[in-house]
Amino acid sequence: MDVHYNITYIILGGHVQLSKYRCIYFSITFLLFILIICSNTIVLYVIYVHESLHKPMYIFVAALLMNALFGSMTIYPKLLVDLLSATQTISLPACRLQSFLIYLYAACEFTLLSAMAFDRYVSICRPLQYHSLVRPQIVKLILVLAICLPTCKLGIGNIYSAHLGLCKFVLMRITCDNYSLVKAGCGDSSIINAYGFFVMVFSVMPHLIFILFSYTRIFIICLRSSRDFRRGALNTCLPHLVILMNFTIIILFEVIQTRIPSGIPHIIRLIVSLLYVMIPPLFNPLMYGFKMQEIYQRLVALFKQK
């Protein structure tokens, strides 16, 4: 019988000095998880209860915050359990599922940011066509495609990598990822590595190019417009641009440190590998809550009421 039928669990060997700092790691992680849930949920609640916020721009914001919650729920519960456990193990199917969901979270983030750029582009550059181009049906279609397209692309890669089998059962990570699973595989991984590179490029580059085009056009329009128009455009576009740059840089660091060997200390690698579910899920609701005037006003009213 093949070895991968005998061993069904993978050891997550990336935890550093866990027995010594277990309580500190758990307390920080648990506090961060609670803050992420509360901050995203509050902004989602405000958008949900106020009909004036039931507009495409705020619907996309809500979708982005829900994606942040989805990514956090994929990682933090298992991580918290591991921080309290004597051994950090995970079954192979659960590991593949977590890897798929983490990649799906990252891919959906870029598709949603691209959808928000489309909304801002039409609103500022083609205001007379906004209600015809950004109809509720179009918004629903964009949201469905933002989930379905990454799911299909990533699903194909996960199905193929599942047939490689495993020769190593220790991942020097604290979460599962498909790249590490493929490296631990027994068979020839050249095809799946090529497909993974293809998916990574086409999950990011088309969206970045479209966003760059959209904001170039918006910038040109703003230069030709009044100061009040520029101020209004800045208030709606700045949070989106900051969040895009923040997430892109974090993902770039994660890809580089995972695939390129270097002398970076292991603890630094672990922190970098978690940045994409630490900073964006906590930073995004704060950015939208304080920088988007309509959301901010309703947040202030909510807390005054409480």
Side-chain angles (χ1 to χ4, degrees):
M1 184 178 292
D2 293 338
V3 67
H4 62 271
Y5 287 116
N6 290 329
I7 303 176
T8 58
Y9 284 86
I10 293 174
I11 299 174
L12 299 174
H15 294 270
V16 177
Q17 295 184 322
L18 182 57
S19 59
K20 185 176 181 180
Y21 300 109
R22 185 186 304 275
C23 294
I24 297 176
Y25 290 162
F26 179 84
S27 300
I28 294 174
T29 304
F30 182 73
L31 177 62
L32 184 62
F33 186 40
I34 295 300
L35 288 175
I36 288 172
I37 292 177
C38 292
S39 58
N40 284 274
T41 302
I42 290 172
V43 179
L44 283 169
Y45 171 77
V46 168
I47 294 174
Y48 176 75
V49 297
H50 291 92
E51 291 189 8
S52 61
L53 298 180
H54 295 178
K55 301 174 183 177
M57 176 172 63
Y58 301 109
I59 292 174
F60 289 134
V61 169
L64 197 71
L65 299 182
M66 290 179 68
N67 189 53
L69 287 175
F70 166 74
S72 301
M73 294 299 296
T74 300
I75 289 181
Y76 283 100
K78 169 60 178 170
L79 181 58
L80 288 170
V81 171
D82 284 343
L83 292 176
L84 295 179
S85 302
T87 58
Q88 292 72 47
T89 61
I90 184 171
S91 67
L92 179 56
C95 189
R96 295 196 187 280
L97 177 61
Q98 186 186 56
S99 169
F100 170 75
L101 295 179
I102 290 172
Y103 281 37
L104 181 61
Y105 153 72
C108 287
E109 193 83 356
F110 280 108
T111 55
L112 291 171
L113 289 170
S114 182
M116 296 173 73
F118 168 73
D119 175 76
R120 293 297 83 209
Y121 168 75
V122 177
S123 175
I124 295 173
C125 300
R126 298 186 178 183
L128 298 179
Q129 299 174 288
Y130 183 79
H131 292 292
S132 60
L133 292 177
V134 193
R135 303 189 305 274
Q137 295 84 354
I138 299 296
V139 173
K140 293 177 183 178
L141 177 62
I142 290 174
L143 292 176
V144 170
L145 292 177
I147 299 173
C148 292
L149 291 180
T151 300
C152 293
K153 288 185 293 186
L154 296 170
I156 294 173
N158 268 45
I159 291 172
Y160 183 81
S161 63
H163 293 289
L164 288 177
L166 289 181
C167 288
K168 300 177 182 178
F169 298 90
V170 178
L171 302 182
M172 296 308 296
R173 305 266 302 179
I174 57 178
T175 62
C176 294
D177 70 289
N178 198 54
Y179 181 76
S180 298
L181 288 172
V182 170
K183 284 179 62 178
C186 298
D188 182 12
S189 61
S190 57
I191 295 178
I192 189 59
N193 281 331
Y195 181 78
F197 179 77
F198 168 84
V199 170
M200 181 178 66
V201 170
F202 281 89
S203 294
V204 176
M205 290 308 298
H207 301 294
L208 292 181
I209 292 172
F210 175 75
I211 294 171
L212 179 62
F213 165 78
S214 300
Y215 277 96
T216 300
R217 294 293 301 165
I218 291 173
F219 180 72
I220 294 173
I221 295 294
C222 288
L223 289 178
R224 300 172 180 173
S225 304
S226 65
R227 180 177 298 179
D228 290 338
F229 182 90
R230 288 197 296 269
R231 185 182 296 112
L234 181 64
N235 286 336
T236 58
C237 294
L238 182 61
H240 178 251
L241 280 175
V242 173
I243 287 170
L244 171 68
M245 290 188 292
N246 175 46
F247 191 75
T248 302
I249 292 172
I250 289 173
I251 290 297
L252 181 62
F253 282 167
E254 165 65 1
V255 171
I256 291 175
Q257 71 94 14
T258 301
R259 288 160 174 78
I260 300 178
S262 65
I264 301 176
H266 185 63
I267 184 64
I268 302 299
R269 286 179 173 270
L270 292 181
I271 294 174
V272 171
S273 70
L274 287 178
L275 286 180
Y276 62 94
V277 286
M278 291 170 57
I279 296 179
L282 191 59
F283 178 75
N284 293 3
L286 296 177
M287 193 68 185
Y288 285 119
F290 287 103
K291 288 298 183 181
M292 298 192 78
Q293 196 64 25
E294 289 194 46
I295 295 178
Y296 175 73
Q297 291 174 353
R298 283 156 180 79
L299 283 172
V300 171
L302 175 65
F303 284 107
K304 284 184 177 179
Q305 181 182 0
K306 297 298 181 182

